[in-house]
Amino acid sequence: MISDVSAAQDKRNLDYIIRSGLAGGVAGCLAKTVVAPLDRVKILFQASNPDFQKYAGTWSGAFRAGSEIYQTSGARGLFQGHSVTLLRIFPYAAIKYMAYDQVHHYLMPTRHEETNLRRFFAGSLSGMISVFFTYPLEVFRVRLAFHTKYSGKANNSLLDSFKQIYYEQATDISRPTVNASQYFDRYPLLKFYRGFSATLIGMVPYAGVSFLSWGYLRARFIPPPNDAKIQSTPVADLAIGAVSGGIAQTASYPFEVIRRRMQVGGITQPDRWLRWGETIRAIWVPSGWRGFYVGLSIGYLKVIPMTAVSFTVWQGGKRFLGV
């Protein structure tokens, strides 16, 4: 039997870190592929794409929107932007799960030291670390998914999106006389971080609640690894992952709607650099509080299976790789 000390030393090894990240990256890719069509529709709803607003607000609307995409663009349309998603999600998930393993080890080296607050902090920190390094690819993915055949840009490539973002100019509406592009010409990488503040803030409740729920439910229903009577199973991991995803989605969804609007701001309002206040008003004025939950039903349809698959494959990958 491996002692707590030797197990802790193993977690600090580069070999352990790489294997943990590999398991997380594969888990993220498989989970995202499962829900890719739903993700495409959800982005169109959240970003208020004018071609699909007629379907928003109902459970059946998501399926009608997906049917229209399939009829006009085929299966390829349902997976538009997915190649960029995979380029983003592998490093994102790898960093997130790898960071969580390390932060969890330092904060909670033994199961007796686990608390809900520490679980929340470990999840939030790992989510913020991963999103910081992979956010530009998220902006590419949203831009590609937002375009439809009616906009004439349904087949935009990654290079086309890169050029569009790079050459965008915007005015800082908090100071209308100042052209914000003077800052972005000097620091062009900032253009690829539209909506980053909303994403970072939203990641705190999403990743925090997700890992908190995952850790709490596993501690409540699954005994320690050295208990040979009952062991974790894929079915148990799927169930716990699904519940964790649903709770996390509910807690963080308004932030997700805000960041989607900010991410596509260069398309919908190319003359402006959207800020928090204007984005929130643009959602609140026409729709009230319900505007911050548009697409939530499809969010559940997407996040619950995605989180369930992600956690399950992560755990299975770790067992397979011996971590």
Side-chain angles (χ1 to χ4, degrees):
M1 183 182 298
I2 299 175
S3 67
D4 284 346
V5 175
S6 60
Q9 291 175 340
D10 289 341
K11 288 193 175 184
R12 289 195 293 265
N13 287 340
L14 180 60
D15 180 65
Y16 179 96
I17 293 173
I18 292 175
R19 292 188 184 194
S20 174
L22 179 61
V26 172
C29 288
L30 289 177
K32 273 292 189 180
T33 300
V34 169
V35 299
L38 289 172
D39 200 25
R40 173 87 201 279
V41 174
K42 190 185 76 165
I43 288 174
L44 292 172
F45 285 177
Q46 289 179 327
S48 295
N49 186 290
D51 302 323
F52 288 88
Q53 279 304 287
K54 57 188 176 185
Y55 299 123
T58 64
W59 285 84
S60 60
F63 296 100
R64 295 202 303 272
S67 177
E68 179 176 330
I69 294 172
Y70 181 79
Q71 291 173 5
T72 58
S73 304
R76 182 180 178 182
L78 293 172
F79 286 86
Q80 184 169 310
H82 187 57
S83 58
V84 181
T85 297
L86 295 180
L87 287 175
R88 179 194 72 92
I89 201 62
F90 184 87
Y92 168 81
I95 294 171
K96 181 179 72 173
Y97 285 119
M98 180 174 59
Y100 179 76
D101 268 344
Q102 295 302 306
V103 176
H104 183 280
H105 164 65
Y106 283 110
L107 292 179
M108 300 165 281
T110 66
R111 194 157 186 170
H112 296 294
E113 296 177 88
E114 292 186 4
T115 66
N116 289 334
L117 181 60
R118 290 175 179 175
R119 292 182 186 119
F120 180 86
F121 182 77
S124 299
L125 184 58
S126 62
M128 289 190 292
I129 291 172
S130 60
V131 80
F132 177 80
F133 287 104
T134 60
Y135 189 77
L137 286 172
E138 166 71 359
V139 175
F140 289 142
R141 180 181 76 92
V142 172
R143 290 294 186 92
L144 289 172
F146 180 80
H147 287 307
T148 65
K149 80 180 190 69
Y150 304 106
S151 66
K153 298 179 180 180
N155 295 318
N156 263 17
S157 66
L158 179 60
L159 180 59
D160 291 332
S161 293
F162 177 88
K163 290 179 179 178
Q164 181 185 36
I165 297 171
Y166 189 84
Y167 290 109
E168 282 175 355
Q169 294 186 350
T171 299
D172 185 340
I173 64 164
S174 65
R175 291 187 295 170
T177 59
V178 177
N179 190 330
S181 65
Q182 63 181 294
Y183 302 113
F184 303 132
D185 287 340
R186 186 175 181 182
Y187 306 105
L189 288 179
L190 291 177
K191 297 178 182 179
F192 299 93
Y193 279 82
R194 280 183 181 268
F196 180 69
S197 59
T199 301
L200 200 61
I201 293 174
M203 185 56 64
V204 172
Y206 179 76
V209 171
S210 181
F211 279 106
L212 162 61
S213 302
W214 167 260
Y216 172 78
L217 292 173
R218 280 178 64 84
R220 178 68 177 80
F221 295 107
I222 299 177
N226 59 355
D227 189 332
K229 294 180 181 179
I230 304 176
Q231 293 294 329
S232 176
T233 65
V235 174
D237 289 338
L238 280 170
I240 293 174
V243 173
S244 301
I247 296 173
Q249 179 76 345
T250 304
S252 64
Y253 197 78
F255 295 102
E256 187 172 349
V257 173
I258 293 171
R259 73 183 172 98
R260 294 298 188 209
R261 289 289 190 95
M262 296 176 77
Q263 285 172 338
V264 301
I267 300 173
T268 58
Q269 298 188 49
D271 61 328
R272 293 186 178 185
W273 182 265
L274 297 181
R275 301 175 73 88
W276 271 82
E278 184 189 20
T279 305
I280 292 174
R281 284 194 298 272
I283 298 171
W284 174 267
V285 171
S287 306
W289 67 267
R290 291 182 177 83
F292 295 95
Y293 288 91
V294 64
L296 179 60
S297 58
I298 191 173
Y300 285 135
L301 289 176
K302 170 205 163 187
V303 167
I304 290 176
M306 183 186 73
T307 310
V309 171
S310 183
F311 274 125
T312 302
V313 175
W314 174 50
Q315 289 296 302
K318 290 177 69 176
R319 288 191 289 265
F320 178 77
L321 295 172
V323 295

